[in-house]
Amino acid sequence: MAKAKLRVGYVGTSIASYFATEYHQRERAITGLEALAEAWGFELVAIADEIMSVEAAEQAAERLRAAHIDFLLVQTAGCSIGEQILPLARVVPRIGLWATPEPHRDGDIKLHSFVSMSHFASILVQTLASEHIPFKWFYGHVETEEFQRPFGVTVRALAAAKNMAQARIGWFGGLAPGFINMRFDTERLRAKLGVEVVAHELSELIERAKGYDSAPVAQTAREISSAARTVRVSESAAFDRVTRLYLALRDTAREQGYDALAVSCWSEFQEAYRIAPCMAYSWMGSEDGIAVSCEGDVYGAISMYLLNLLTGAHGSSTLLDMAVIDTINPAALMWHCGVSPRHFANKDGIQWVDHVTLGRKSPNVYGVAGDQVFAANPATISYISRSGDQLLVVGADIVERENPGYAGTRGWFTNFTLNHEPTSLHDLVHTLTSGGHPHHYAVGIGNVTGELVEFASWTGVQRIAKRTYTDYLELP
């Protein structure tokens, strides 16, 4: 679906005895915010008027409320009186308080901006305590990194929250056998995050895949094949079938307006269509930028979509298992059997191969899956679970090792953080294991852990808290 733009409101408060007007505080702020809106893709609703009284603040609040903004940036352009924040704080339940430096280091104080920002913050916390109004404070002029860095995190986090609140996930074939810990409450997900999950039979995709004319299928198959370093598939007809599945996934997502898909990849696909569908999922992620979670994991699809929103990259994030831990040279091998998009690959690129586990102890061979080693990159590991109540926020570095790990799509991860704080491998594994985390992880290239923390703060999702490893059992 087309992404919704965040609508950011701006208003600058002051009183007449200070110098917000003389130092062009509002004009400077609006000009800079307009430039950021163009560069970062949000919409700005700015009040250019001098807001120097409670009445003016009330009038500005009405105009901003009518504009249906998502976030209000209240700049204390100059010294302000406490009552000015009251009507503005009730425009929208997500507020930013913004102070700027004084224009001179000595002499008469001209703006008193920082003190007034602190004054407003105290009113939100104490005077309006029963209204529980979340806010974030900013400092610095609009053109400075000091302001832009935290403001950029807010824009990305809130844009993700807005788009998540109208996301549609197509769910095909239910959960893979045995994945009972990934069951979810559809209504709870919708109430918590706004996500809509639409269930389908897997047969819908299979029948659509069978119906494509051979010419476009052959052309697409050539494109997919040519993108790989090598193709080692036992049955050439399997490549045709998986290409057809890719087209069915792509066209269904476009027609239904799905932002991500969760598709059960075994065992019905093997019984009904004689394929491993991994290549189709991988190609959707790399070429169309649409997350497809394997094994029917709806949580995985939502988590991948969230990472896609936060990174803003064309290529999708992926879904992996933590397959191996190295406790001597602390690292974890994040692996799956062939679904990761090809932009994760190192210089050797991706290969298309037979699936590495499905059918390997029987006469059957199922294609097609990817085989690749991930390039060294910063990465974010995340997962929304418990019907939207819980969020994992892990940062890491992907590193290339002499031992690349098991066949499939994989990479070694190290230098972990949890909730933006450094953590050891043992503490991370203990946190995940003793907390009963489902064994899937959404992984995206780039570090957006700050954005994830802020997303959780604005939406009220609980972050998974660290549990310190001990050699003895210690129940929380």
Side-chain angles (χ1 to χ4, degrees):
M1 293 177 66
K3 300 298 185 293
K5 288 189 175 184
L6 187 72
R7 289 176 62 80
V8 176
Y10 163 83
V11 62
T13 61
S14 62
I15 56 177
S17 58
Y18 284 77
F19 293 84
T21 300
E22 288 79 358
Y23 284 98
H24 307 289
Q25 286 279 85
R26 296 176 183 85
E27 294 90 341
R28 183 176 183 176
I30 292 171
T31 298
L33 289 171
E34 287 173 342
L36 292 179
E38 177 67 23
W40 294 353
F42 65 89
E43 295 177 350
L44 179 66
V45 179
I47 302 294
D49 302 346
E50 294 180 335
I51 306 301
M52 291 192 176
S53 65
V54 175
E55 293 75 19
E58 291 171 344
Q59 293 167 10
E62 287 302 313
R63 291 165 60 186
L64 289 163
R65 189 176 292 108
H68 303 291
I69 60 173
D70 304 300
F71 177 71
L72 176 58
L73 196 56
V74 180
Q75 182 192 43
T76 48
C79 184
S80 305
I81 56 175
E83 286 79 3
Q84 285 176 299
I85 191 61
L86 298 178
L88 296 170
R90 297 178 173 116
V91 169
V92 66
R94 290 165 178 168
I95 304 292
L97 300 180
W98 178 17
T100 58
E102 290 294 322
H104 305 292
R105 292 182 177 270
D106 53 20
D108 295 342
I109 194 164
K110 302 296 185 182
L111 297 176
H112 221 49
S113 173
F114 180 78
V115 170
S116 288
M117 183 272 288
S118 302
H119 186 187
F120 280 3
S122 179
I123 291 169
L124 294 180
V125 173
Q126 295 195 40
T127 309
L128 301 181
S130 63
E131 299 184 34
H132 304 289
I133 299 169
F135 69 92
K136 179 179 177 179
W137 67 272
F138 302 91
Y139 182 77
H141 285 295
V142 66
E143 67 274 8
T144 65
E145 183 187 3
E146 187 174 26
F147 171 80
Q148 290 188 13
R149 187 179 62 254
F151 183 58
V153 172
T154 296
V155 168
R156 291 186 291 274
L158 288 180
K162 182 173 184 175
N163 280 278
M164 187 68 78
Q166 52 193 9
R168 284 170 51 84
I169 309 296
W171 185 31
F172 292 84
L175 286 165
F179 283 44
I180 55 177
N181 59 327
M182 293 180 183
R183 290 171 180 165
F184 59 92
D185 184 324
T186 302
E187 291 308 312
R188 177 66 180 165
L189 268 176
R190 190 198 302 269
K192 189 69 178 181
L193 298 174
V195 176
E196 179 184 10
V197 180
V198 183
H200 298 263
E201 297 295 327
L202 200 62
S203 58
E204 295 179 41
L205 288 175
I206 294 173
E207 292 306 309
R208 182 164 195 166
K210 291 177 179 178
Y212 286 101
D213 293 337
S214 58
V217 173
Q219 175 60 33
T220 304
R222 285 192 293 270
E223 294 171 2
I224 298 173
S225 177
S226 65
R229 175 162 56 96
T230 58
V231 178
R232 296 185 288 106
V233 178
S234 299
E235 184 189 5
S236 60
F239 210 99
D240 175 271
R241 291 195 294 274
V242 182
T243 302
R244 289 173 175 273
L245 175 62
Y246 159 70
L247 294 172
L249 290 168
R250 183 198 68 185
D251 293 346
T252 300
R254 289 176 178 176
E255 292 170 7
Q256 297 291 330
Y258 290 141
D259 297 289
L261 304 175
V263 186
S264 186
C265 45
W266 59 278
S267 56
E268 187 176 348
F269 261 131
Q270 290 76 57
E271 296 165 353
Y273 203 41
R274 293 183 21 250
I275 60 166
C278 308
M279 184 188 82
Y281 301 179
S282 171
W283 201 249
M284 281 282 286
S286 63
E287 310 312 303
D288 299 281
I290 296 177
V292 183
S293 68
C294 49
E295 297 167 319
D297 181 6
V298 168
Y299 291 141
I302 294 170
S303 304
M304 292 162 71
Y305 179 56
L306 175 57
L307 287 182
N308 291 353
L309 288 169
L310 292 174
T311 63
H314 169 72
S316 175
S317 55
T318 189
L319 195 67
L320 302 170
D321 297 343
M322 186 179 289
V324 172
I325 60 171
D326 179 350
T327 58
I328 305 302
N329 299 296
L333 182 70
M334 306 295 290
W335 170 97
H336 228 246
C337 44
V339 297
S340 298
R342 64 190 178 108
H343 57 267
F344 276 81
N346 65 10
K347 59 181 175 55
D348 295 329
I350 196 167
Q351 302 180 82
W352 300 126
V353 298
D354 294 328
H355 196 277
V356 296
T357 63
L358 290 174
R360 63 181 173 178
K361 297 180 74 173
S362 76
N364 300 313
V365 176
Y366 298 105
V368 182
D371 181 67
Q372 64 175 324
V373 176
F374 298 162
N377 272 304
T380 301
I381 302 168
S382 186
Y383 196 81
I384 291 173
S385 59
R386 304 197 181 185
S387 296
D389 286 337
Q390 200 167 77
L391 176 67
L392 176 67
V393 182
V394 173
D397 290 325
I398 306 174
V399 295
E400 294 195 54
R401 289 185 163 191
E402 184 177 353
N403 174 2
Y406 303 107
T409 50
R410 75 279 194 189
W412 285 101
F413 289 62
T414 190
N415 300 328
F416 295 102
T417 64
L418 178 63
N419 298 323
H420 221 52
E421 297 293 333
T423 189
S424 70
L425 176 65
H426 269 85
D427 284 352
L428 178 61
V429 171
H430 182 62
T431 297
L432 299 171
T433 304
S434 64
H437 178 80
H439 68 278
H440 278 173
Y441 302 87
V443 176
I445 296 172
N447 190 324
V448 290
T449 55
E451 286 84 345
L452 279 172
V453 169
E454 185 152 334
F455 171 88
S457 298
W458 290 119
T459 57
V461 177
Q462 182 181 11
R463 287 178 281 129
I464 294 176
K466 177 181 175 179
R467 298 186 180 191
T468 302
Y469 173 76
T470 62
D471 289 335
Y472 47 87
L473 176 63
E474 183 179 23
L475 297 178

